[in-house]
Amino acid sequence: KQEVTQIPAALSVPEGENLVLNCSFTDSAIYNLQWFRQDPGKGLTSLLLIQSSQREQTSGRLNASLDKSSGRSTLYIAASQPGDSATYLCAVRRGGNQFYFGTGTSLTVIP
Amino acid sequence: NAGVMQNPRHLVRRRGQEARLRCSPMKGHSHVYWYRQLPEEGLKFMVYLQKENIIDESGMPKERFSAEFPKEGPSILRIQQVVRGDSAAYFCASSPSQAIFQETQYFGPGTRLLVL
């Protein structure tokens, strides 16, 4: 059974700081890994999708890496802004029809 | 192109009542997935449907829960005789196809169900 863990559960940083969110998964036989953003009372917004054959993906100030063999992914956010405050979810797709989600990291960027 | 739509956004029910949650996938998407997010827990897969077919309901509780995706109209997640433990956010996602694992799923805003 696939278990996805995210550390830390909550993070508070001053504006402008670079930060790293961590995700680990127990079964390395995955098709892809995806990072989502969830704002309070809203749905999920896809940030970055990394295929199992890839090592990283970048979009603007975001960079996600994937080390399948060790079952880890990191999401790096550069020059954080208050608008980045949200819950960040990591999800892996192992084949089949579903994503397996972590419980998320709640990020607060203080102006 | 409108995104995935869910209604109602908030639903309050008393114990024993029925809850019906609706999901309209993105235009051109024929695959629908339902997830449940319990308080302080991650999203958990419930069921995957194509038009008129349930493909995978391995995450669905065996009793009181059912889902459908008719030929016409939205997908419906139905919870009969709700209990307080059903209080959660229910998210619907859609995708154009299932066979392409490189694709993502597009999520709706969710329905927050509160059982009194």
Side-chain angles (χ1 to χ4, degrees), chain A residues 31-32 34 36 38 41-44 46 49 51 89 93 95-99 101-103, chain B residues 9 33 35 37 41-43 45 48 56 58 91 98 101-105 107-109 112:
Chain A
Y31 279 100
N32 58 47
Q34 190 157 5
F36 291 88
Q38 184 176 24
K42 304 276 182 67
L44 280 66
S46 175
L49 172 67
Q51 304 299 342
L89 299 172
R93 190 163 192 183
N97 310 306
Q98 56 177 295
F99 282 104
F101 281 86
T103 51
Chain B
R9 296 290 305 276
Y33 313 78
Y35 291 81
Q37 187 177 33
E41 294 188 19
L43 276 80
F45 168 80
Y48 159 52
D56 180 355
S58 58
F91 290 94
Q98 178 268 341
F101 293 116
Q102 290 84 355
E103 286 192 351
T104 185
Q105 297 173 5
F107 283 80
R112 271 78 184 167

Side-chain angles (χ1 to χ4, degrees), chain A residues 11-13 30 34 36 47-48 50 52 83 86 89-91 94 109:
Chain A
L11 182 63
S12 183
V13 300
I30 65 171
Q34 190 157 5
F36 291 88
L47 297 173
L48 290 164
I50 312 177
S52 61
L89 299 172
C90 164
R94 195 164 59 93
V109 180

Side-chain angles (χ1 to χ4, degrees), chain A residues 27-93:
Chain A
D27 187 344
S28 61
I30 65 171
Y31 279 100
N32 58 47
L33 181 144
Q34 190 157 5
W35 284 92
F36 291 88
R37 169 186 172 138
Q38 184 176 24
D39 291 281
K42 304 276 182 67
L44 280 66
T45 301
S46 175
L47 297 173
L48 290 164
L49 172 67
I50 312 177
Q51 304 299 342
S52 61
S53 58
Q54 298 175 320
R55 294 296 294 249
E56 65 178 338
Q57 282 286 333
T58 299
S59 176
R61 295 183 293 107
L62 305 180
N63 176 277
S65 68
L66 173 64
D67 184 343
K68 218 172 68 158
S69 60
S70 66
R72 296 181 186 217
S73 174
T74 61
L75 178 66
Y76 175 81
I77 303 177
S80 57
Q81 303 171 358
D84 295 331
S85 298
T87 297
Y88 291 81
L89 299 172
C90 164
V92 299
R93 190 163 192 183

Side-chain angles (χ1 to χ4, degrees), chain B residues 69-85:
Chain B
F69 189 14
K71 188 176 180 181
E72 301 291 338
S75 175
I76 307 284
L77 179 67
R78 182 182 178 207
I79 311 172
Q80 295 178 290
Q81 299 176 327
V82 295
V83 300
R84 288 214 174 106

